[in-house]
Amino acid sequence: ATLITINVCDFGSTAEGYTGKQQSGDSVIAACALREALKTIHEKVADADRPFFYGAVVVRCQHRKQGLSEAAWSGTNPPYFTSDAASLIAQLPGIRYWMCDLPSIDREDDDGHVGNHKTFFRLEEDVAAAPERFVVEMASIPETLPDGLYLADMQLAPIAGTD
């Protein structure tokens, strides 16, 4: 797994897009910041080994809200990923898990587009890829855990009788 910490920026200050409704003052995670952080973390990793560490990409965001577990996000338009950032993550070799500490990878009110989810799950191009990928939102990522490369054991709970 790869853990990176990203600073949010104003949507209007990027040349990036978003498929749903957006405003120039929105706080976003941009592809340019992700690209730079991934490059820094993986600079000493052989190209052939990168897909192993891209299997799970964990994005911790430096946002204005402190104490995420106590935060009341609803109706606050929390930071989200640009479409360019979603495309970058979706195209990483070996990606299966995209984890972040935000309520959603998409904008809170994007008129139902959920474009970043569609991009990551490749719903517009390869529906068969959807079961191979997972998004974890509102992940609790300790601030004391440094950015870097980790071994992650991802498991799904055997929940029965949820029909």
Side-chain angles (χ1 to χ4, degrees):
T2 300
L3 169 61
I4 53 176
T5 303
I6 303 294
N7 289 317
V8 299
C9 62
D10 285 336
F11 184 79
S13 69
T14 72
E16 299 183 19
Y18 184 71
T19 56
K21 182 171 84 174
Q22 77 279 340
Q23 295 177 338
S24 64
D26 287 354
S27 294
V28 296
I29 292 82
C32 57
L34 285 171
R35 193 175 295 108
E36 187 61 34
L38 290 169
K39 179 182 172 187
T40 300
I41 292 292
H42 290 126
E43 67 187 351
K44 295 180 183 172
V45 176
D47 288 344
D49 294 334
R50 288 185 183 161
F52 176 77
F53 293 107
Y54 285 145
V57 174
V58 183
V59 182
R60 177 174 42 211
C61 302
Q62 294 292 325
H63 42 75
R64 293 183 201 107
K65 291 245 186 217
Q66 299 300 315
L68 185 63
S69 60
E70 297 90 28
W73 290 106
S74 185
T76 65
N77 190 29
Y80 57 93
F81 291 78
T82 65
S83 297
D84 300 80
S87 292
L88 185 146
I89 290 174
Q91 293 172 15
L92 292 172
I95 184 73
R96 291 197 62 205
Y97 298 91
W98 178 4
M99 300 158 65
C100 70
D101 59 356
L102 297 173
S104 180
I105 59 175
D106 280 296
R107 189 176 197 272
E108 180 179 26
D109 178 15
D110 74 346
D111 293 330
H113 289 284
V114 292
N116 290 343
H117 283 83
K118 290 177 182 175
T119 296
F120 183 67
F121 292 121
R122 292 191 248 169
L123 295 179
E124 303 292 329
E125 59 189 74
D126 183 7
V127 176
E132 301 171 7
R133 292 184 169 191
F134 304 89
V135 172
V136 177
E137 300 162 331
M138 295 290 292
S140 178
I141 308 164
E143 292 292 327
T144 56
L145 191 62
D147 288 5
L149 305 175
Y150 293 90
L151 181 61
D153 183 13
M154 310 301 282
Q155 299 180 22
L156 297 175
I159 301 172
T162 58
D163 298 346

